[in-house]
Amino acid sequence: MGVTGQGPQQSGDGMESCSADDEESAAVLRTVGRILKTCRERKGLTQAELGAAIGYSEEQVSSVQRGRRAPSAKFLDAADQVLDAGGLLAGLKKEVEEARYPKKVRDLAKLEGEANEICAYANSVVHGLLQTPEYARALFSMRRPPFSKDEVEHLVAARMARQEIFDHQPAPVFGFVQEEVTLRRPLGGRMVMRKQLERLLEVGQRRNVEVQVMPTDREDHAGLAGSLQLLRLKEGDTVGHNEVQLTSRLISGPKEIQIHEIRYGIIRAQALTPRESLAFIEKVLGET
């Protein structure tokens, strides 16, 4: 896997969305559109008649059929029933939902699903795999220029979908180091942060997860160059992921990976231990 630089995209923890054409998603939507058209014509209905039968406009049906709009689960279920598709359309819900997510999110989630170990240092916000829906929604809502409400909800859904990796069997080993400021910065308000801190405590109790805190009062800090993530894949390779402002990139060059591994090892050693960190998070929760 080569080093890949990416344009504006939402991925690990940031708030950018992919602005480039996503051919993979487009191909999925075109396929759904062709299947919808075949089922509709086999049933002898016009687009307007199908729309009326399932509660959508002719224009909406046309947009789905041309692959220009991602149909909702409700649309697919209703169309499947009206067109007697026998589950053919309803069975596409998972593929369509994934096609809504930015390509970078899908790529990162795929890599995470292939990892035996995921290590991350987050210095500005809580890491994406640890975020609550409320925290993620607040984070995406702060993006400038702003996302639309629908875009925010799609990005939140994508982020929550990535967290399914915690339930994989066998589950990967996780190591997270969170900068103290990420526990104290009240993104979304007091109640959002309380839920987020409770989530950190909950996840930190898992046997395969270690959550550590890097206190602000440390005089020596190996992570000042920014956040980083390492994914150790099942076949033995290690890839890195960096994100800053409008740039998100995957890293596989041996020299860069070596630097990331050295830095992450020092960061872990400089941070509080997992047990001390959970006690620290409990203390911050009591103050929030």
Side-chain angles (χ1 to χ4, degrees), residues 58-266:
E58 179 180 1
E59 188 277 330
Q60 287 173 313
V61 173
S62 176
S63 292
V64 171
Q65 190 170 292
R66 286 180 291 161
R68 298 182 61 182
R69 180 194 294 264
S72 66
K74 179 181 176 182
F75 181 107
L76 291 172
D77 283 336
D80 192 275
Q81 183 175 0
V82 169
L83 298 177
D84 296 325
L88 184 61
L89 289 168
L92 295 171
K93 287 185 288 188
K94 183 176 185 296
E95 288 78 5
V96 171
E97 187 61 29
E98 289 178 352
R100 295 173 185 270
Y101 303 159
K103 184 177 188 300
K104 185 59 182 176
V105 176
R106 301 197 308 273
D107 289 347
L108 186 58
K110 181 179 179 181
L111 281 174
E112 289 169 344
E114 296 172 356
N116 281 326
E117 183 178 8
I118 298 175
C119 306
Y121 162 64
N123 67 346
S124 60
V125 297
V126 173
H127 190 275
L129 289 176
L130 299 173
Q131 292 174 11
T132 64
E134 295 82 5
Y135 184 96
R137 186 171 293 108
L139 184 63
F140 290 129
S141 297
M142 295 175 193
R143 192 256 203 180
R144 298 294 185 273
F147 289 124
S148 69
K149 290 184 178 180
D150 285 344
E151 287 174 324
V152 168
E153 292 308 312
H154 290 161
L155 290 167
V156 171
R159 181 149 294 177
M160 294 305 105
R162 277 177 56 209
Q163 295 182 9
E164 294 175 2
I165 191 174
F166 284 109
D167 298 320
H168 286 189
Q169 293 297 331
V173 173
F174 298 90
F176 300 98
V177 181
Q178 288 288 151
E179 199 68 39
E180 178 183 342
V181 68
T182 67
L183 310 180
R184 297 188 181 278
R185 181 173 287 132
L187 300 183
R190 177 173 173 271
M191 293 310 299
V192 169
M193 279 309 301
R194 284 191 61 84
K195 286 186 177 181
Q196 181 58 70
L197 293 170
E198 290 169 352
R199 170 65 175 167
L200 291 176
L201 291 172
E202 174 194 342
V203 175
Q205 296 291 341
R206 297 187 181 213
R207 294 178 60 191
N208 63 318
V209 179
E210 290 188 342
V211 175
Q212 293 179 254
V213 175
M214 176 68 83
T216 304
D217 64 6
R218 288 294 192 256
E219 295 182 2
D220 193 10
H221 194 327
L224 296 182
S227 61
L228 63 90
Q229 179 164 290
L230 291 167
L231 300 99
R232 297 189 172 99
L233 307 181
K234 295 172 183 177
E235 65 268 23
D237 295 331
T238 297
V239 296
H241 175 251
N242 276 349
E243 183 174 19
V244 58
Q245 291 294 338
L246 303 181
T247 301
S248 177
R249 61 192 292 258
L250 295 175
I251 300 166
S252 61
K255 290 184 178 180
E256 288 185 276
I257 291 296
Q258 186 180 57
I259 292 171
H260 277 60
E261 290 181 325
I262 291 172
R263 288 179 179 174
Y264 183 74
I266 298 173

Side-chain angles (χ1 to χ4, degrees), residues 2-56:
V3 179
T4 57
Q6 304 291 342
Q9 300 181 47
Q10 179 275 334
S11 53
D13 301 313
M15 301 188 292
E16 294 302 323
S17 178
C18 179
S19 60
D21 290 338
D22 187 343
E23 182 56 34
E24 186 178 339
S25 288
V28 170
L29 298 184
R30 287 196 298 268
T31 298
V32 172
R34 286 195 296 269
I35 294 173
L36 176 66
K37 180 181 179 180
T38 299
C39 293
R40 177 181 61 78
E41 291 179 344
R42 183 180 62 186
K43 192 69 174 178
L45 296 179
T46 65
Q47 292 180 353
E49 289 170 338
L50 174 59
I54 63 176
Y56 289 85

